[in-house]
Amino acid sequence: MTLITVRMISKFIFHKVLGWKLVGDFPRDLKKYVVIGAPHTSWKDFPIAILARNTYGVKINFIGKASLFKPPFGFIFRALGGSPVDRSKSTNKVEAIVNLFNQHDEFRLALSPEGTRAKITEWKTGFYYIAKGANVPVVMFAFDFENKQIIVAPPYYLTDNMNKDMNHIYDFYRDIKGAKPELFYVPPKQK
């Protein structure tokens, strides 16, 4: 199947069948950035994200827990642009991912700052350190189930003030309603 066909089918399903819309766009002039997607509260987030990515027509990779990439369905996640991460090993994942950015001329990586679909009280900051280490911006991507829309923010270039950066990111997501709003937590403003 050609990329044009995949894009047309994805657009049809995303817009006509599911009734979703896109707000904003991924930067076309940037070849490297970290995409953070939230709220990640349901299994529905993944197929909607893939349809949105295909509709936008931008190549964005993702990582997932290693068990997703095992037979019989692991080949599907690889074909969709995924790479497994073994959470049981105590390797420096941030450093390994920064190296991926350094090895490629074009690399966009999507991550969930929550790290899980379960209710959490603290976001993981690996995305932040990956973006800092690779010297790339963060692009925020929101699953707004309340309004059936995917919202993409302009790239945000991190500063040397983590609290300021995280407050900016949290503010973007503060009023977003995921598939299961009760599972989504946005930390309060940091000082």
Side-chain angles (χ1 to χ4, degrees), residues 66-166:
S67 61
L68 291 174
F69 294 85
K70 292 181 179 174
F73 302 110
F75 75 95
I76 295 171
F77 291 102
R78 287 183 198 281
L80 291 171
S83 296
V85 171
D86 187 351
R87 294 180 181 173
S88 66
K89 293 184 180 174
S90 62
T91 56
N92 188 334
K93 292 173 189 70
V94 169
E95 187 177 310
I97 295 170
V98 168
N99 287 336
L100 284 174
F101 274 95
N102 293 335
Q103 293 166 9
H104 293 87
D105 292 330
E106 184 174 329
F107 192 70
R108 299 172 192 98
L109 180 66
L111 301 165
S112 168
E114 298 154 283
T116 181
R117 292 185 311 255
K119 176 91 173 177
I120 52 100
T121 58
E122 189 174 323
W123 286 19
K124 300 206 177 286
T125 54
F127 77 89
Y128 185 88
Y129 293 106
I130 291 166
K132 285 292 277 185
N135 197 27
V136 298
V138 172
V139 174
M140 294 165 279
F141 177 97
F143 298 96
D144 181 0
F145 274 79
E146 183 177 50
N147 299 301
K148 290 185 94 172
Q149 60 188 10
I150 292 294
I151 305 167
V152 180
Y156 179 74
Y157 292 85
L158 301 174
T159 69
D160 289 328
N161 182 334
M162 186 175 184
N163 286 341
K164 175 186 174 226
D165 294 336
M166 293 305 291

Side-chain angles (χ1 to χ4, degrees), residues 2 32 100 134 171:
T2 69
K32 296 181 181 185
L100 284 174
D171 285 347

